[in-house]
Amino acid sequence: METTLIEKLPEVTWVGSLIKAVLILAIISALAGFGTFIERKVLAFMQRRLGPMHVGYYGLLQIAADGIKLFTKEDIIPQNANKLIFMIAPVITAATAFIALAAVPVFPDFTIPSWIPLLGDTFVPSIASDLNIGILFVLGMMAAGLYGPLLAGMSQANKWGIIGAARTAVQFLSYEVVTGLSILAPIMLVGSLSFIDFNTYQAGGIGDWLIWKQPVAFVLFLIAGFAETNRTPFDLLEHEAEVVSGYATEYSGMRWGMFFIGEYANMITVSVIASIVFLGGYDVASMFGWFFIMAKIALFFFLMLWVRAAWPHVRPDQLMWLCWKVLMPLAVVNILITALVMMV
Amino acid sequence: MGLEQFKNRNVGTQNYTMVDAGHSPKGVLCQFKQVVKRTFKGELFVGLWVTMKAMLKALFANDMHTVKYPFEKLPISPRYRAIHDMLRLLESGHYRCIGCGLCEKICISNCITMDTRYDENQRKEVSEYTINFGRCIFCGYCAEVCPELAIVHGSRYENASEQRAGFSLFEDMLTPIDKLNLQQEYSGFGSVSPNADDNIKQTPLAY
Ligand code: SF4
Ligand code: SF4
């Protein structure tokens, strides 16, 4: 049984969790930065452009240039804004995005070699904190992240910001139902909320992947995931062509950057969830399994960019129509059918 | 095609073609059918495929449309009217301008300033000649009026400057004497037409 594999692992100390947390923070923020580069490149290629080319080899150091720009830009707080809320709103987005990542297995576990002073022999787990309600926690945290745009839009004394905040509420109310209901069917099949159990359930190879048993749930979750990370076609919150920049209109410099990092971290989280829940997850035993899940995550990430290049975005009323009148009934029917099949 | 049919404002008599835009569904059942049809039509995947194809072509079939501007430039038309050039006679290397002053006279934004004097052989020579490119509108009249094909438009179009007035001197625009073999004739305003040879007639002796 695979569960014995988990039990064989050394005990997780608080030092290990701490190191893991720092690792996630460092690597994922770097990846989020790199994600912006990849996004610009992929979008450029799809429009037959070159994208960033001049900073570093093939534009690779563009992230560094952008980072320096964001850090050194003046931090402007509008006169009539609610200053406190305006200041903490981006932190909410970035923080919740990273807190969500705490319960998600990212990167393989390892033990620090014993010749390193102080930290030697510490076991660093693959999940910073292995909750038994992992999925619920991650989805809840990502939902809480929507407080960021909501508060930001309402606190900045700007009409575009208010519209952005209103759209945040609309979007939040629409997709959250679908996210929950769509992932409920796989949860029923597996009978657990822990990512580890999902992983072991699908350990038998491609044939065991939940995407074959739950294709509808997979598509619904993907759609809801796009809405959750407010990517095209559901980027109503800050669609430049309509509402300047929505909730982020008045933000500049590092605070705006935090929204950005939060969004990309969320994209990574959704990709991780989709890969683990539907595409078989990772293989604990081998290094190769970790490479495999990285490929799956990259695939979902690329899909998000691809969709952004190809599809137009929807109006808020269309989003509500889609979520409440199409996706939610579909999800409910999917759950019913799953339940019936499980009963028989 | 004349403009007559666009000037006809009498609704109903024009020669319009109606575009078949389909019709909105009537009734709940038809609406439902339309939704189902559109849902399973796969148009979204067509869109995805189009962008993917564009990307693959751009990356592997060398179909990239970017011009890295300061390093590479698009070719411009030979008739393009950019910063002026002063041409030289190919045989002697002397500048072509005879100091007739027609360009100064015709310039509609008054940006050509010139002065002439007699040289030691009692021939007219240009002593001062400047064009204020802050005022020039690149209309091409000077090139058109010049009887000697002396002032023409060149191909230097990067003329952003920090000041409004930007004067160019005669020597700056003149073809460098060592580049005389590279001098190009201008084919825009005022140039000899391609069939100029055919139009040459003998002078009637009766005059
Ligand atoms: S191009 Fe027109 S405006 Fe410019 S110098 Fe010639 S005549 Fe004057
Ligand atoms: S019209 Fe031609 S020849 Fe006459 S002054 Fe101007 S440049 Fe010289």
Side-chain angles (χ1 to χ4, degrees):
Chain A
M1 264 308 275
E2 274 82 5
T3 37
T4 52
L5 238 176
I6 310 283
E7 281 151 15
K8 260 194 302 190
L9 291 174
E11 198 193 346
V12 179
T13 56
W14 65 270
V15 187
S17 292
L18 195 71
I19 294 174
K20 184 69 190 178
V22 174
L23 269 183
I24 290 182
L25 209 56
I27 298 181
I28 298 287
S29 9
L31 272 185
F34 193 63
T36 62
F37 171 74
I38 296 286
E39 165 149 34
R40 290 168 72 175
K41 273 294 188 197
V42 168
L43 286 185
F45 291 151
M46 290 191 167
Q47 296 162 354
R48 296 186 217 164
R49 293 183 287 115
L50 284 172
M53 281 301 279
H54 295 293
V55 193
Y57 177 71
Y58 223 66
L60 263 174
L61 291 182
Q62 186 72 38
I63 327 159
D66 286 349
I68 292 170
K69 188 193 85 174
L70 282 182
F71 273 107
T72 51
K73 235 177 161 179
E74 187 188 354
D75 180 27
I76 298 171
I77 296 173
Q79 197 175 20
N80 293 328
N82 184 329
K83 298 206 170 48
L84 180 69
I85 297 183
F86 184 86
M87 272 155 45
I88 61 171
V91 186
I92 296 178
T93 303
T96 50
F98 284 109
I99 295 174
L101 275 167
V104 165
V106 262
F107 317 122
D109 45 17
F110 61 93
T111 310
I112 297 178
S114 50
W115 47 266
I116 292 178
L118 237 51
L119 295 177
D121 283 332
T122 314
F123 173 69
V124 181
S126 63
I127 305 185
S129 134
D130 180 18
L131 303 171
N132 49 2
I133 50 156
I135 292 184
L136 216 54
F137 178 78
V138 173
L139 291 182
M141 260 309 145
M142 289 183 66
L146 262 285
Y147 273 113
L150 191 67
L151 293 179
M154 295 206 294
S155 67
Q156 63 187 237
N158 180 311
K159 288 169 189 166
W160 305 117
I162 293 284
I163 297 177
R167 287 182 170 200
T168 312
V170 161
Q171 186 156 337
F172 178 70
L173 290 178
S174 312
Y175 74 74
E176 202 53 51
V177 186
V178 183
T179 324
L181 287 181
S182 68
I183 212 154
L184 194 55
I187 290 175
M188 281 157 61
L189 278 183
V190 176
S192 163
L193 288 166
S194 161
F195 283 113
I196 305 275
D197 290 338
F198 268 95
N199 199 37
T200 45
Y201 184 87
Q202 305 173 81
I206 293 189
D208 274 4
W209 288 5
L210 271 173
I211 182 174
W212 309 126
K213 286 186 192 155
Q214 292 288 345
V216 180
F218 173 68
V219 173
L220 292 181
F221 180 77
L222 219 52
I223 296 176
F226 275 68
E228 183 131 17
T229 48
N230 67 67
R231 301 285 306 171
T232 320
F234 306 118
D235 60 339
L236 316 167
L237 278 59
E238 51 164 332
H239 197 254
E240 297 95 5
E242 295 168 0
V243 287
V244 185
S245 200
Y247 66 90
T249 306
E250 293 286 0
Y251 280 92
S252 61
M254 208 42 225
R255 290 189 203 283
W256 183 80
M258 276 194 241
F259 277 127
F260 215 66
I261 288 179
E263 179 179 335
Y264 279 83
N266 270 338
M267 279 165 73
I268 294 174
T269 316
V270 166
S271 308
V272 174
I273 299 178
S275 326
I276 293 179
V277 172
F278 292 102
L279 286 195
Y282 52 94
D283 188 356
V284 225
S286 71
M287 217 46 199
F288 193 67
W290 282 102
F291 173 76
F292 222 57
I293 191 173
M294 291 292 169
K296 289 172 202 165
I297 294 171
L299 182 81
F300 280 112
F301 200 87
F302 178 75
L303 185 71
M304 292 185 180
L305 311 184
W306 190 7
V307 162
R308 180 169 178 193
W311 294 356
H313 90 145
V314 300
R315 292 195 309 259
D317 63 314
Q318 287 171 332
L319 174 70
M320 284 190 281
W321 178 87
L322 182 73
C323 282
W324 286 106
K325 289 193 179 169
V326 181
L327 299 185
M328 198 190 70
L330 269 181
V332 172
V333 168
N334 189 38
I335 290 173
L336 277 181
I337 294 176
T338 312
L340 284 178
V341 170
M342 280 173 71
M343 254 166 53
V344 181
Chain B
M1 190 174 76
L3 291 176
E4 291 77 28
Q5 58 164 312
F6 295 111
K7 291 185 176 157
N8 177 10
R9 302 278 155 80
N10 300 319
V11 179
T13 62
Q14 298 102 329
N15 199 10
Y16 288 147
T17 315
M18 294 302 285
V19 177
D20 180 23
H23 41 83
S24 1
K26 291 186 192 65
V28 181
L29 189 65
C30 284
Q31 278 180 353
F32 181 73
K33 271 194 210 152
Q34 190 186 35
V35 167
V36 171
K37 206 170 111 200
R38 287 185 178 171
T39 306
F40 293 104
K41 210 170 175 190
E43 277 170 333
L44 287 174
F45 295 99
V46 175
L48 281 181
W49 172 236
V50 166
T51 41
M52 178 53 91
K53 215 167 51 186
M55 174 163 139
L56 293 179
K57 262 164 77 181
L59 284 180
F60 302 115
N62 218 357
D63 192 19
M64 202 69 93
H65 285 204
T66 306
V67 177
K68 295 184 205 156
Y69 163 60
F71 308 116
E72 54 186 52
K73 292 176 182 173
L74 290 173
I76 59 171
S77 156
R79 298 173 58 88
Y80 193 82
R81 303 197 298 272
I83 296 285
H84 304 68
D85 279 335
M86 282 287 176
L87 300 189
R88 288 181 190 270
L89 290 168
L90 289 176
E91 297 85 352
S92 63
H94 196 270
Y95 55 79
R96 290 183 186 175
C97 177
I98 52 170
C100 69
L102 281 174
C103 51
E104 184 191 23
K105 195 84 182 160
I106 203 170
C107 176
I108 53 172
S109 47
N110 270 342
C111 57
I112 301 183
T113 314
M114 65 181 296
D115 205 355
T116 53
R117 62 163 184 240
Y118 290 118
D119 67 0
E120 62 269 25
N121 304 323
Q122 289 297 85
R123 289 170 61 102
K124 217 177 189 182
E125 74 168 5
V126 180
S127 56
E128 301 283 346
Y129 194 104
T130 59
I131 302 182
N132 179 356
F133 283 116
R135 292 185 62 102
C136 174
I137 58 167
F138 301 96
C139 61
Y141 283 2
C142 50
E144 187 168 6
V145 80
C146 178
E148 297 296 312
L149 299 178
I151 185 166
V152 297
H153 284 289
S155 54
R156 287 179 294 150
Y157 54 81
E158 286 151 325
N159 42 7
S161 85
E162 294 163 350
Q163 292 159 346
R164 277 207 185 174
F167 290 90
S168 221
L169 303 180
F170 193 66
E171 294 76 39
D172 300 339
M173 297 181 281
L174 200 60
T175 316
I177 190 73
D178 50 330
K179 299 252 174 67
L180 188 57
N181 54 341
L182 300 177
Q183 177 173 294
Q184 296 277 324
E185 286 302 329
Y186 180 58
S187 52
F189 269 140
S191 62
V192 183
S193 61
N195 61 346
D197 283 352
D198 308 337
N199 295 336
I200 291 177
K201 295 187 189 124
Q202 276 186 330
T203 312
L205 289 176
Y207 285 166

